[in-house]
């Protein structure tokens, strides 16, 4: 309070007569906010025993500056984890401004800096940020009208939670040309893809019972079985996977080998 003279001070004087008194007038100029100002205080000290004499009145000016040096206060948004958008390796995040922002003297202005996991600066579109995979950063800034700034960092982690896409054949027919045949996963689907993992790095396996394998051996015991199924699993680098069931039709196309006995002539007594 500029009117609290215990804070701003007042003239100190003494006189043998003891009839001195003082007073002041203020000229106030607002600075960067309504609560900050520069005050020109004109003091007058009067000796009432000699008010009209050459030393009966004294005057001097005092400058009082009320400044705002405190930054705004706010609650930083909590760290967040989001998934990737459908068929995309990016995640969309809605920008959240800090809560409970307040300043001791003026209003506040919000701004931010968004950095990707690789350190690239990102620009928001309608308060929506597109973040790549990994730990990304939003630096929130609040500045009051006097230039005091405070900031905080918020982590936004994007993880891949999208399953790979796989299109399998409903059934596949194989021919058993020998005693057995090894069948691999690529023989059961026409397409497999993922939003983040390249096709060449997808982990594709099959199983007939309970164990995932790179290939399965089928033999003569499996020929012409009508309930012969395998399951195909396509997994990306983050452990997301998709499954499909395929029926196997195993046929034996090997022509039997037949060796006939040679012609033989027997006498009637030998027959």
């Amino acid at each position: 309070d500029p009117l609290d003279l215990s804070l701003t001070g007042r003239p100190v004087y003494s006189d043998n007569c003891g009839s001195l008194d003082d007073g002041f007038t203020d000229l106030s100029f607002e600075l960067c906010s309504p609560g900050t100002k520069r005050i020109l205080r004109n003091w007058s000290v009067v000796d009432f025993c000699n008010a009209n004499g050459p030393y009966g009145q004294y005057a001097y000016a005092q400058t009082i500056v009320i400044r705002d040096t405190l930054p705004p206060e706010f609650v930083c948004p909590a760290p967040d984890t989001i998934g990737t958008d459908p068929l995309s390796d990016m995640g969309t995040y809605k920008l959240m401004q800090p809560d409970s922002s307040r300043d001791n003297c003026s209003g506040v202005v919000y701004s931010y800096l968004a950095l990707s996991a690789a350190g690239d600066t990102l620009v928001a579109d309608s308060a929506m940020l597109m973040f790549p995979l990994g730990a990304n950063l939003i630096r929130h800034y609040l500045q009051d009208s006097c230039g005091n700034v405070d900031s905080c960092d918020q982590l936004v982690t994007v993880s891949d939670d999208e399953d790979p896409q796989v299109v399998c054949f409903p059934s596949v027919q194989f021919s058993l040309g020998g005693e057995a045949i090894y069948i691999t996963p690529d023989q059961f689907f026409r397409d497999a893809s993922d939003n983040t993992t390249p096709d060449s790095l997808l982990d594709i396996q099959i199983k007939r019972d309970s164990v995932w394998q790179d290939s399965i051996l089928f033999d003569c015991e499996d020929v012409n079985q009508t309930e012969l199924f395998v399951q195909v699993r396509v997994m990306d680098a983050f452990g997301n996977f998709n499954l499909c069931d395929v029926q196997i039709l195993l046929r034996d196309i090997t022509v039997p080998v037949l060796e006939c006995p040679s012609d033989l002539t027997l006498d009637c007594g030998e027959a």
Side-chain angles (χ1 to χ4, degrees):
D1 182 2
L3 296 179
D4 186 350
L5 300 184
S6 64
L7 296 176
T8 59
R10 66 184 307 160
V12 177
Y13 45 80
S14 62
D15 183 72
N16 61 335
C17 180
S19 59
L20 295 176
D21 202 357
D22 59 51
F24 64 85
T25 58
D26 285 344
L27 186 59
S28 180
F29 302 91
E30 183 176 307
L31 298 178
C32 52
S33 69
T36 60
K37 58 187 68 178
R38 184 187 303 274
I39 301 172
L40 299 181
R41 177 165 290 176
N42 295 305
W43 285 95
S44 296
V45 178
V46 179
D47 182 356
F48 288 100
C49 291
N50 190 24
N52 297 320
Y55 303 106
Q57 298 185 24
Y58 303 88
Y60 73 93
Q62 178 189 17
T63 300
I64 301 171
V65 178
I66 301 175
R67 301 182 301 170
D68 175 15
T69 60
L70 297 177
E73 297 179 356
F74 60 93
V75 178
C76 194
D80 204 353
T81 299
I82 61 174
T84 50
D85 297 340
L87 304 178
S88 172
D89 60 354
M90 306 283 285
T92 302
Y93 183 74
K94 183 178 181 181
L95 187 65
M96 302 295 292
Q97 295 189 20
D99 292 330
S100 305
S101 60
R102 60 187 180 88
D103 188 70
N104 60 324
C105 289
S106 65
V108 296
V109 176
Y110 170 75
S111 62
Y112 74 94
L113 173 66
L115 299 174
S116 70
D120 299 323
T121 301
L122 304 177
V123 178
D125 181 14
S126 301
M128 303 301 289
L129 285 165
M130 292 293 295
F131 280 125
L133 290 170
N136 306 277
L137 180 141
I138 302 176
R139 182 159 293 155
H140 302 274
Y141 296 96
L142 283 178
Q143 177 175 326
D144 64 20
S145 57
C146 293
N148 302 302
V149 181
D150 201 1
S151 65
C152 73
D153 291 346
Q154 176 194 12
L155 286 179
V156 178
T157 302
V158 178
S159 61
D160 179 13
D161 57 1
E162 290 289 316
D163 295 332
Q165 303 294 313
V166 58
V167 179
C168 290
F169 300 108
S171 63
V172 180
Q173 180 172 311
F174 296 95
S175 298
L176 188 65
E179 294 183 356
I181 182 176
Y182 277 97
I183 298 177
T184 55
D186 57 292
Q187 297 172 283
F188 296 103
F189 64 90
R190 62 169 58 96
D191 181 61
S193 61
D194 186 65
N195 60 323
T196 60
T197 303
D199 295 354
S200 60
L201 298 180
L202 290 173
D203 180 23
I204 304 175
Q205 293 189 319
I206 56 175
K207 73 175 181 180
R208 180 177 180 179
D209 298 315
S210 59
V211 180
W212 292 106
Q213 304 175 70
D214 295 325
S215 63
I216 297 178
L217 178 67
F218 293 89
D219 55 27
C220 294
E221 294 183 0
D222 301 310
V223 172
N224 295 327
Q225 289 192 28
T226 58
E227 297 297 325
L228 186 59
F229 287 88
V230 296
Q231 194 170 53
V232 180
R233 182 187 69 183
V234 179
M235 181 182 294
D236 66 17
F238 296 91
N240 305 302
F241 63 88
N242 211 337
L243 305 172
C244 60
D245 295 321
V246 181
Q247 183 181 19
I248 294 180
L249 305 175
L250 190 60
R251 300 290 183 257
D252 180 8
I253 62 170
T254 303
V255 178
V257 178
L258 177 63
E259 294 185 5
C260 293
S262 303
D263 295 339
L264 182 62
T265 302
L266 300 174
D267 293 334
C268 61
E270 296 176 335

